[in-house]
Amino acid sequence: GWQASMKSGSLSYILPCNRLPVQLMSQVRVYTSNGQKKDLGSEDRNGSTSEETLHKVGTGRQDTSNAGQKQSFLKEPIQVKVKAVLKKREYGPKYTQNNFITGVRAINEFCLKSSDLDQLRKIKRRSPHDDTETFTVYLRSDVEAKSLEVWGSPEALARERKRRKEAEIKYRENLFRNQRLLREYREFFGNTKPRSSAAAMFFKGPGKVVMVAICINGLNFFFKLLAWVYTGSASMFSEAIHSLADTCNQALLALGISQSARTPDPSHPYGFTNMRYIASLISGVGIFMMGAGLSWYHGIIGLLHPHPIESLLWAYCILAGSLVSEGATLLVAINEIRRSARAKGLSFYQYVVQSRDPSTNVVLLEDAAAVLSVAVAATCMGLTSLTGNPYYDSVGSLGVGTLLGTVSAFLIYTNTEALLGRSIQPEQLQRLTELLESDPVVRAIHDVKATDMGMSKVRFKAEVDFDGRVVTRSYLEKQDVEQLLQEIQQVKTLEELEAFMLKHGENIIDTLGAEVDRLEKDLK
């Protein structure tokens, strides 16, 4: 140790010693290595050596003010309570010795065969999948050792991985080439493959509504275009452009429906269900640009440069047929939305505003706008026929464009909200919150968020404070308590205590995971 003698008005000297003096006010306590306090003011009466005596060291002068001061020292031994703790284990920045991996990963990443895994230790763990309770895993350290035994060295294993990667790339290239040849074969000989699930989607539900709308709007565009060429009416031109925009947009919706049915892949693990919202959003933009924009443009041109209109008889006939066909499509969309809203327990208005089915909503709004625009165009053309003033016809074109702009703005807003992820209804969120809080395992929940992902999918998130006592009791209820008591009584050393705690601690964590799975199932 080191000893320091502090003198007022003098220098401080440091000498080696096995005691440490501490000066507190007028008391000096010396702590020896054996835990005893020594009296430093009295002479050594028991023949102690100079190493056990506190020496006065200075410049030769004594401070007269402190010369007669007496030092008092306590003689009780110092008692220090030392905790028995386990030595902290350093794992380093990368530690994978206790990791588990599945058999598929072991075969793919370490270039092993299924027969190689038969010789390794198999461990049953709680399955992360909903359809199975347990599944078999292997220790990563065992798999790594087995791969080195099979391939001889890490370099040989790396070469084999590289070779398999090149073979996989070549296989994908051949697969793409074979798919192209198969497609050419089908085009030449005809496709005799049974109807796929994606194609079957267009014969029921929203797909059926979209296909009916495509056929009817395509025919309407053809006949309205002929009527515009014959009459030169601005309102009829707007109607033709409207039908063309509806046909293109609904074809885009059909593409979105087919893409949404694609199975998830590594690049898109959650699938392509949002393609319906994306297609509906683009459709809304298309209505605004093609339908509303061209209608406004033609109406303004008609106001600036009016010209006489030919006989409108054929135009009236085509508008009447368009009204019937658009009305039929509108009824199909209304019936589909009513059926879907009834199944979800929502009203017709709530189902449309929340954009639960974007494809059907687009058809509904487009056909509703089409019916109203036919009425506006027919009214303005009738006023033009009665008065001979072509300005009414141009005003009708502006009215149709305004109607289409309103529909497109609504579609853009609802689909943007759906893509951003809006919260579910407060009543549903309250039900989920009450379900969690009423469970004995849950002590409290915080920061609850529930987002509607669209297409009947909800993402729910909550910070949960679990009751560790209830989880532990749930674990103990499944154990032989007498055997557990015997294990506790056999614990004598720190190593045995550590082994006991590690064994049951891991099992309690697995019990907590099982409770989380149960809660997720109840929430679903």
Side-chain angles (χ1 to χ4, degrees):
W2 291 88
Q3 161 191 321
S5 176
M6 303 297 297
K7 297 290 185 177
S8 176
S10 62
L11 297 177
S12 174
Y13 292 85
I14 300 177
L15 296 176
C17 183
N18 65 343
R19 296 177 294 273
L20 175 64
V22 179
Q23 182 171 342
L24 297 175
M25 299 300 288
S26 61
Q27 295 182 352
V28 178
R29 298 178 181 178
V30 178
Y31 297 85
T32 62
S33 58
N34 58 3
Q36 299 295 327
K37 294 177 186 153
K38 299 297 183 180
D39 186 355
L40 304 184
S42 62
E43 296 180 354
D44 189 1
R45 299 181 179 86
N46 296 325
S48 59
T49 64
S50 59
E51 293 181 355
E52 296 173 346
T53 307
L54 179 62
H55 298 279
K56 294 181 180 179
V57 183
T59 60
R61 297 191 314 168
Q62 300 293 332
D63 192 346
T64 58
S65 62
N66 297 329
Q69 185 178 2
K70 295 182 178 180
Q71 304 292 336
S72 60
F73 303 94
L74 297 177
K75 299 182 179 181
E76 295 84 359
I78 297 176
Q79 297 180 357
V80 179
K81 186 176 181 180
V82 181
K83 294 182 179 180
V85 295
L86 291 174
K87 182 181 179 181
K88 184 178 179 180
R89 184 170 299 178
E90 297 294 340
Y91 294 100
K94 184 178 180 180
Y95 183 79
T96 59
Q97 295 303 313
N98 291 336
N99 287 13
F100 294 139
I101 62 173
T102 61
V104 175
R105 283 191 59 191
I107 293 175
N108 293 334
E109 296 182 11
F110 294 92
C111 305
L112 297 177
K113 299 179 181 178
S114 57
S115 58
D116 297 329
L117 301 180
D118 295 338
Q119 307 171 11
L120 303 181
R121 290 177 290 179
K122 299 178 178 62
I123 303 172
K124 292 289 184 180
R125 300 293 294 175
R126 183 176 54 86
S127 174
H129 309 291
D130 295 335
D131 53 350
T132 56
E133 294 184 358
T134 60
F135 74 136
T136 303
V137 294
Y138 303 88
L139 273 174
R140 185 186 182 95
S141 57
D142 293 349
V143 175
E144 292 177 348
K146 186 64 178 179
S147 65
L148 293 179
E149 177 186 343
V150 172
W151 296 104
S153 65
E155 293 76 13
L157 178 60
R159 288 194 299 269
E160 178 64 18
R161 286 175 176 171
K162 182 178 179 180
R163 187 191 67 80
R164 293 194 180 190
K165 187 67 176 179
E166 294 174 352
E168 181 182 359
I169 295 175
K170 186 176 181 181
Y171 169 78
R172 290 181 178 178
E173 294 175 353
N174 293 334
L175 181 63
F176 175 76
R177 188 182 302 109
N178 292 335
Q179 288 177 345
R180 186 178 60 185
L181 292 175
L182 182 61
R183 184 166 56 251
E184 295 175 355
Y185 172 83
R186 289 172 179 171
E187 292 175 355
F188 184 77
F189 291 99
N191 189 359
T192 58
K193 183 180 178 180
R195 186 182 296 121
S196 63
S197 59
M201 294 179 62
F202 294 105
F203 292 89
K204 60 181 180 180
K208 178 182 177 181
V209 176
V210 171
M211 294 305 296
V212 171
I214 289 176
C215 297
I216 291 179
N217 284 318
L219 291 175
N220 287 340
F221 164 70
F222 177 74
F223 288 112
K224 288 178 182 179
L225 184 64
L226 292 180
W228 171 71
V229 172
Y230 180 73
T231 62
S233 169
S235 296
M236 185 55 65
F237 175 79
S238 297
E239 279 299 304
I241 292 299
H242 184 187
S243 296
L244 175 62
D246 287 350
T247 304
C248 295
N249 290 330
Q250 285 152 8
L252 184 62
L253 293 179
L255 177 63
I257 292 175
S258 64
Q259 291 295 313
S260 66
R262 293 171 56 187
T263 57
D265 56 25
S267 299
H268 305 86
Y270 290 101
F272 300 85
T273 55
N274 281 340
M275 278 300 299
R276 294 194 182 191
Y277 292 100
I278 296 174
S280 300
L281 178 62
I282 299 175
S283 177
V285 176
I287 293 173
F288 183 81
M289 295 182 63
M290 291 183 61
L294 289 177
S295 297
W296 284 332
Y297 171 78
H298 209 72
I300 293 173
I301 293 297
L303 291 176
L304 296 177
H305 307 285
H307 58 84
I309 299 177
E310 302 294 335
S311 174
L312 298 177
L313 178 62
W314 284 105
Y316 290 136
C317 295
I318 292 175
L319 284 178
S322 176
L323 181 64
V324 173
S325 60
E326 297 283 4
T329 309
L330 180 62
L331 289 177
V332 173
I334 289 174
N335 291 332
E336 177 63 26
I337 290 179
R338 281 179 176 174
R339 185 185 63 81
S340 301
R342 194 181 306 112
K344 297 292 183 181
L346 300 174
S347 65
F348 184 89
Y349 175 78
Q350 289 176 333
Y351 192 89
V352 173
V353 171
Q354 295 178 15
S355 188
R356 294 283 179 168
D357 188 351
S359 302
T360 307
N361 282 357
V362 171
V363 175
L364 171 72
L365 296 175
E366 285 183 348
D367 288 338
V371 172
L372 292 176
S373 64
V374 167
V376 171
T379 301
C380 293
M381 288 170 60
L383 292 175
T384 300
S385 299
L386 292 176
T387 62
N389 188 353
Y391 286 108
Y392 289 109
D393 185 62
S394 299
V395 170
S397 179
L398 293 176
V400 172
T402 302
L403 185 62
L404 292 177
T406 303
V407 171
S408 66
F410 179 78
L411 290 176
I412 291 172
Y413 170 76
T414 54
N415 287 284
T416 301
E417 286 291 307
L419 288 173
L420 288 176
R422 55 174 172 257
S423 177
I424 64 176
Q425 295 299 311
E427 297 81 9
Q428 295 176 335
L429 184 60
Q430 183 66 23
R431 285 178 54 199
L432 297 177
T433 302
E434 291 176 354
L435 176 63
L436 280 180
E437 289 182 333
S438 61
D439 195 279
V441 176
V442 178
R443 182 178 287 150
I445 60 174
H446 313 279
D447 194 21
V448 179
K449 295 183 178 68
T451 306
D452 187 358
M453 304 300 295
M455 305 309 296
S456 303
K457 291 185 179 180
V458 173
R459 176 180 293 167
F460 181 83
K461 175 260 179 187
E463 300 290 337
V464 181
D465 182 6
F466 290 96
D467 193 337
R469 296 168 300 178
V470 176
V471 175
T472 305
R473 188 175 293 111
S474 176
Y475 168 70
L476 293 176
E477 290 172 355
K478 303 174 184 177
Q479 305 298 317
D480 187 349
V481 183
E482 294 183 356
Q483 181 180 357
L484 189 62
L485 181 60
Q486 293 178 1
E487 292 182 12
I488 296 175
Q489 293 173 350
Q490 293 175 359
V491 173
K492 303 299 182 182
T493 63
L494 291 178
E495 290 75 12
E496 293 176 351
L497 177 62
E498 179 185 10
F500 177 82
M501 294 299 298
L502 291 177
K503 171 187 174 182
H504 293 283
E506 183 177 9
N507 295 337
I508 291 175
I509 294 299
D510 289 339
T511 303
L512 176 60
E515 295 293 340
V516 172
D517 292 343
R518 179 182 59 81
L519 290 175
E520 290 179 350
K521 185 177 180 181
D522 293 341
L523 289 173
K524 291 179 181 180

